[in-house]
Amino acid sequence: MKKLEQDFYERADVIRIARELLGKVLVTNFDGLFTSGRIVETEAYAGEIDRASHAWAGRRTNRTEVMYQAGGTAYVYLCYGIHQMFNVVTNQQDIPHAILIRAVDPMEGIATMMQRTGKKVVDYTLTKGPGNVGKALGFYTRHTGLSLLGPEIYIADDSYQVKKSSILATPRIGVDYAGDDAALPYRFIIADNPYVSGKKIGLAKKRTGK
């Protein structure tokens, strides 16, 4: 696998990056525990102009300040006081773009993922949805600010090719508060992958409109 480099993350088009992250491998190596999964669902957040973004209208808080760092930085926030949500910061410094990793297809370290989640049987909920991704891969808010070029968290390309025909763009999930921006097609999925969260959207259904 080849680790993605800084210039991948520092590009201006957060939508394109979110799409291109599909099929890449998310890796964590915390305290000697190695886990990885293929990214199958992402959501893009376009910073200050995006009502769904934590940085909407230039909001800067202790939590969101990391979004203003240079691309290739980890942003982990706590949702509902329970879920550790892992995001990839993109673009140049002071432009707060980010991409939420919503689902991965497990690859290595599944026994460790089972321990972290307390599961007794492997099923698709292991890494379906961003809260489960955070738990299974060991993310905590203390990892916010870590470089994605370092040894603890990184994203790699193992030459796996996602067919363009299998990639679908949909509105994001759980951002109804964002008004018209809630309808933006900023969520990207590998259709028919069982780890994708939300309502099932298959290619056949999408193409026929049924």
Side-chain angles (χ1 to χ4, degrees), residues 98-162:
I99 298 165
L100 174 65
I101 305 302
R102 288 196 54 91
V104 304
D105 196 329
M107 295 174 67
E108 296 180 82
I110 292 177
T112 297
M113 296 183 194
M114 297 283 285
Q115 283 186 320
R116 288 171 174 162
T117 58
K119 286 187 172 294
K120 305 299 182 184
V121 178
V122 177
D123 60 28
Y124 297 129
T125 65
L126 182 63
T127 50
K128 173 185 284 195
N132 290 325
V133 170
K135 184 180 291 186
L137 272 71
F139 287 108
Y140 287 95
T141 54
R142 65 175 177 266
H143 297 127
T144 283
L146 287 181
S147 170
L148 300 184
L149 305 181
E152 292 184 282
I153 310 169
Y154 59 91
I155 299 174
D157 186 344
D158 65 349
S159 299
Y160 178 85
Q161 296 292 319
V162 180

Side-chain angles (χ1 to χ4, degrees), residues 3-209:
K3 190 181 297 185
L4 298 183
E5 298 180 354
Q6 191 80 36
D7 56 1
F8 177 92
Y9 302 106
E10 289 189 331
R11 292 175 294 165
D13 191 344
V14 68
I15 309 305
R16 179 178 178 180
I17 298 171
R19 181 188 289 269
E20 290 181 359
L21 281 174
L22 293 178
K24 302 297 191 293
V25 181
L26 174 59
V27 177
T28 63
N29 186 9
F30 301 135
D31 301 319
L33 298 175
F34 186 93
T35 56
S36 69
R38 193 173 305 283
I39 298 170
V40 297
E41 181 180 1
T42 63
E43 280 183 346
Y45 289 86
E48 297 178 352
I49 63 170
D50 184 352
R51 290 178 180 271
S53 170
H54 291 169
W56 154 246
R59 186 184 301 123
R60 297 183 82 141
T61 66
N62 288 338
R63 182 177 78 165
T64 65
E65 191 62 31
V66 67
M67 297 179 71
Y68 291 85
Q69 293 186 20
T73 303
Y75 170 35
V76 185
Y77 68 87
L78 193 63
C79 182
Y80 302 127
I82 303 173
H83 304 299
Q84 311 279 340
M85 314 282 268
F86 170 68
N87 298 255
V88 175
V89 174
T90 67
N91 215 314
Q92 303 293 316
Q93 187 168 345
D94 293 325
I95 304 177
H97 289 177
I99 298 165
L100 174 65
I101 305 302
R102 288 196 54 91
V104 304
D105 196 329
M107 295 174 67
E108 296 180 82
I110 292 177
T112 297
M113 296 183 194
M114 297 283 285
Q115 283 186 320
R116 288 171 174 162
T117 58
K119 286 187 172 294
K120 305 299 182 184
V121 178
V122 177
D123 60 28
Y124 297 129
T125 65
L126 182 63
T127 50
K128 173 185 284 195
N132 290 325
V133 170
K135 184 180 291 186
L137 272 71
F139 287 108
Y140 287 95
T141 54
R142 65 175 177 266
H143 297 127
T144 283
L146 287 181
S147 170
L148 300 184
L149 305 181
E152 292 184 282
I153 310 169
Y154 59 91
I155 299 174
D157 186 344
D158 65 349
S159 299
Y160 178 85
Q161 296 292 319
V162 180
K163 293 181 180 179
K164 290 183 179 179
S165 60
S166 70
I167 297 175
L168 299 181
T170 80
R172 293 168 291 190
I173 294 175
V175 296
D176 293 344
Y177 57 84
D180 291 344
D181 288 353
L184 293 171
Y186 285 0
R187 172 175 171 254
F188 298 95
I189 67 172
I190 297 179
D192 297 321
N193 185 283
Y195 288 93
V196 169
S197 66
K199 294 180 180 179
K200 184 175 178 59
I201 302 175
L203 282 173
K205 179 179 179 181
K206 185 71 174 179
R207 288 168 178 161
T208 61

